[in-house]
Amino acid sequence: MSLLLFVSMMILGCGKSTPPVTEKRDSQTGPVTIAGSTSILPLIEACIGDFRKEFPTWHDVSPKLTNQPTLIETVGGGSGFGISSVKSGLVQIGMVARPLTEADRRELKECDIQLVGIDAVVLAAREDNPLFASNADVTLEQLRGLLLGKWKTYREMNPALPDKPIKIVCRDEGAGTTGLVESLVLQDKQIEACASVMESEGALVQELATDRYAMGCTTLREAGLSPKVSAFAIDGIAPTNNDVANGKYPLLQPLYLVTKKPVAPAVEAFTSFVMNREQETIEAAGFVPVRNPPASTPSPASESGTE
């Protein structure tokens, strides 16, 4: 299956219906196809580079596999798309960057779920944003109020702040950050104050970097890539790597790879490589590796409902 065809099917998959599988893949030769969270995508692409350097062909991975190049194709689309695409068979690996809901667990009951790493969701803004400049620490209740539109201007929130509109920038509904915020912060309500919807974490952070009056929820890793954007502390706890690793920071974002059973040999070879050989790559990418996950992070077994 060509990458162009794969991307075309992904675009169709962004609608309400799940696209049918249009081409059967050979589990012995690949290509292995991966879709889902844009938060994990750069990490997985780095892992693919390491995998292909070590194993130029699938036969190099295992004598049982054929002597075809280790082609692995990736595309984003969001966590929801990753889940639905694995379930339908459109792709072999789904990337998910949010806690799994009961509905997700039902959808994925025939899948293997592997916890790859931990990120965090942060409220971010420029350092000259009026709220950040006055107090770079918000409570969960204040964050909830911002996302639900409790205050229209900074002055309504604090009389000492300028009478400028608060601009909330957010991800689309299929994004892992959106699902986590709506679950942990908004108690399953939807974000109501969104002024602009972005299709990727990178686009969201870029918008924050260019607009002094904008704020939005993104991943800690993505916020850290921009020198113009900083993260608020939540309830007095800053999203440092240490407090994400020890579970003190309240908005943890688990990162999963999801594969449908029975797992094809080529797919299993790659996911095992990521889990067993790429922990330093995961850490270098700005995530907390799973060799020592926070106690508050659900295990893959408890998330999937399987042993």
Side-chain angles (χ1 to χ4, degrees), residues 6-72:
F6 184 38
V7 172
S8 298
M9 289 191 296
M10 186 279 287
I11 294 172
L12 291 173
C14 291
K16 292 184 179 179
S17 60
T18 302
V21 179
T22 59
E23 183 176 328
K24 186 176 181 180
R25 290 169 293 277
D26 186 340
S27 63
Q28 297 292 321
T29 63
V32 171
T33 50
I34 307 174
S37 169
T38 59
S39 297
I40 313 176
L41 185 55
L43 166 65
I44 295 303
E45 289 177 338
C47 293
I48 291 171
D50 292 343
F51 186 79
R52 295 192 68 187
K53 284 179 183 178
E54 185 160 347
F55 306 109
T57 72
W58 291 112
H59 188 74
D60 295 323
V61 176
S62 169
K64 296 180 180 180
L65 301 179
T66 58
N67 197 32
Q68 296 292 321
T70 49
L71 180 60
I72 303 175

Side-chain angles (χ1 to χ4, degrees), residues 24 26 30 35 39 50 64 66 71 73 104 122 128 188 206 216 218 220-221 226 236 245 249 254 273 278 282-283 289:
K24 186 176 181 180
D26 186 340
S39 297
D50 292 343
K64 296 180 180 180
T66 58
L71 180 60
E73 297 176 336
D104 292 333
V122 299
D128 62 352
D188 295 326
Q206 180 61 31
T218 186
L220 176 61
R221 176 190 178 278
S226 173
Y249 183 75
F273 179 85
E278 291 291 88
I282 292 167
E283 191 167 20

Side-chain angles (χ1 to χ4, degrees), residues 272-290:
S272 295
F273 179 85
V274 173
M275 296 300 298
N276 298 321
R277 303 277 298 278
E278 291 291 88
Q279 290 299 296
E280 289 185 4
T281 302
I282 292 167
E283 191 167 20
F287 302 118
V288 177
V290 297

Side-chain angles (χ1 to χ4, degrees), residues 36-40 78-80 95-100 119 121 175-180 219 252-256:
S37 169
T38 59
S39 297
I40 313 176
S79 295
M95 301 176 289
V96 181
R98 60 171 168 79
L100 298 176
D119 199 359
V121 170
T177 49
T178 300
L180 187 143
T219 65
L252 299 181
Q253 182 181 43
L255 311 174
Y256 297 109

Side-chain angles (χ1 to χ4, degrees), residues 17-200:
S17 60
T18 302
V21 179
T22 59
E23 183 176 328
K24 186 176 181 180
R25 290 169 293 277
D26 186 340
S27 63
Q28 297 292 321
T29 63
V32 171
T33 50
I34 307 174
S37 169
T38 59
S39 297
I40 313 176
L41 185 55
L43 166 65
I44 295 303
E45 289 177 338
C47 293
I48 291 171
D50 292 343
F51 186 79
R52 295 192 68 187
K53 284 179 183 178
E54 185 160 347
F55 306 109
T57 72
W58 291 112
H59 188 74
D60 295 323
V61 176
S62 169
K64 296 180 180 180
L65 301 179
T66 58
N67 197 32
Q68 296 292 321
T70 49
L71 180 60
I72 303 175
E73 297 176 336
T74 62
V75 75
S79 295
F81 178 66
I83 290 173
S84 63
S85 297
V86 167
K87 181 187 175 185
S88 70
L90 178 61
V91 301
Q92 294 156 301
I93 303 174
M95 301 176 289
V96 181
R98 60 171 168 79
L100 298 176
T101 66
E102 290 297 331
D104 292 333
R105 295 174 193 174
R106 289 192 294 270
E107 270 198 274
L108 300 174
K109 63 182 179 180
E110 297 180 358
C111 295
D112 281 331
I113 302 170
Q114 299 183 79
L115 180 65
V116 175
I118 308 293
D119 199 359
V121 170
V122 299
L123 176 65
R126 282 173 33 166
E127 290 191 2
D128 62 352
N129 172 275
L131 182 60
F132 190 93
S134 66
N135 183 11
D137 185 352
V138 298
T139 65
L140 273 176
E141 188 61 34
Q142 287 174 321
L143 177 55
R144 186 177 299 115
L146 285 167
L147 298 176
L148 293 178
K150 181 177 181 180
W151 306 284
K152 302 300 181 185
T153 69
Y154 286 94
R155 181 163 294 173
E156 288 179 11
M157 192 173 185
N158 183 338
L161 298 182
D163 190 22
K164 294 289 186 179
I166 295 172
K167 180 180 178 180
I168 299 297
V169 184
C170 60
R171 283 293 313 278
D172 52 282
E173 274 300 311
T177 49
T178 300
L180 187 143
V181 166
E182 291 180 346
S183 174
L184 298 185
V185 180
L186 301 183
Q187 299 169 341
D188 295 326
K189 295 180 181 178
Q190 290 188 331
I191 298 172
E192 296 180 7
C194 189
S196 298
V197 178
M198 300 295 165
E199 294 184 355
S200 71

